[in-house]
């Protein structure tokens, strides 16, 4: 028996190493994409939650006010934390003259055409 036959070489071939690197690269790429998507979704959820708070705050102010809201539209800033929001309020007459419908939409100041959230409430005459 020769010495070279009794010693067996062990290890990975270059092809096996390259295949393993490709698999790891694809897995890392998919992971980074998933993390980026989660980060973006988190930002949208935070904006929607803060916009809802702004709209609810305005509707609460109207509910607690002793004056009946005038029919028409108005815009006013309604920031939450570091987000610059603009509230769009529209007061609409209803078939029953003792009630008015109030719609409050919230947009981001940087993209005024895109409404993040819109809440509606019917307000009775406080008189």
């Amino acid at each position: 028996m020769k010495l070279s036959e009794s010693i067996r070489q062990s290890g990975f071939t270059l092809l096996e190493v390259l295949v393993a690197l490709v698999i790891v690269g694809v897995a890392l790429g998919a992971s980074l994409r998933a993390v980026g998507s989660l980060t973006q979704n988190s930002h949208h959820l935070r904006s929607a939650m803060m916009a809802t708070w702004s709209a609810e705050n305005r509707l609460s102010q109207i509910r607690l006010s002793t004056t009946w809201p005038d029919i028409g539209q108005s815009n006013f800033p309604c920031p939450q934390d570091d987000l610059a929001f603009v509230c769009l309020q529209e007061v609409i007459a209803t078939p029953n003259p003792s009630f008015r419908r109030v719609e409050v939409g919230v947009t981001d100041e940087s993209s005024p055409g895109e409404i993040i959230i819109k809440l509606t409430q019917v307000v009775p005459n406080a008189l």
Side-chain angles (χ1 to χ4, degrees):
M1 186 179 228
K2 294 182 183 177
L3 183 63
S4 63
E5 291 176 0
S6 64
I7 299 176
R8 191 152 194 220
Q9 295 281 333
S10 64
F12 297 105
T13 66
L14 181 59
L15 183 60
E16 291 171 330
V17 171
L18 289 176
V19 168
L21 284 175
V22 167
I23 291 171
V24 169
V26 169
L28 285 175
S31 298
L32 286 175
R33 188 172 182 189
V35 168
S37 177
L38 287 174
T39 302
Q40 187 176 14
N41 286 343
S42 173
H43 174 70
H44 289 304
L45 285 173
R46 180 176 179 266
S47 294
M49 179 184 67
M50 296 286 198
T52 302
W53 287 351
S54 289
E56 286 177 348
N57 286 345
R58 181 58 185 157
L59 291 175
S60 294
Q61 286 175 345
I62 292 170
R63 244 187 343 264
L64 296 173
S65 176
T66 57
T67 60
W68 213 27
D70 293 329
I71 294 175
Q73 295 180 347
S74 61
N75 300 345
F76 51 91
C78 53
Q80 286 289 332
D81 196 24
D82 61 338
L83 300 173
F85 290 138
V86 176
C87 286
L88 314 167
Q89 176 180 307
E90 184 175 7
V91 180
I92 305 164
T94 63
N96 185 337
S98 297
F99 294 95
R100 290 194 175 153
R101 187 174 80 199
V102 180
E103 296 180 353
V104 178
V106 180
T107 64
D108 193 346
E109 197 173 65
S110 61
S111 57
E114 181 181 330
I115 294 178
I116 300 171
I117 190 93
K118 187 173 192 176
L119 298 180
T120 304
Q121 171 178 295
V122 176
V123 180
N125 189 348
L127 296 177

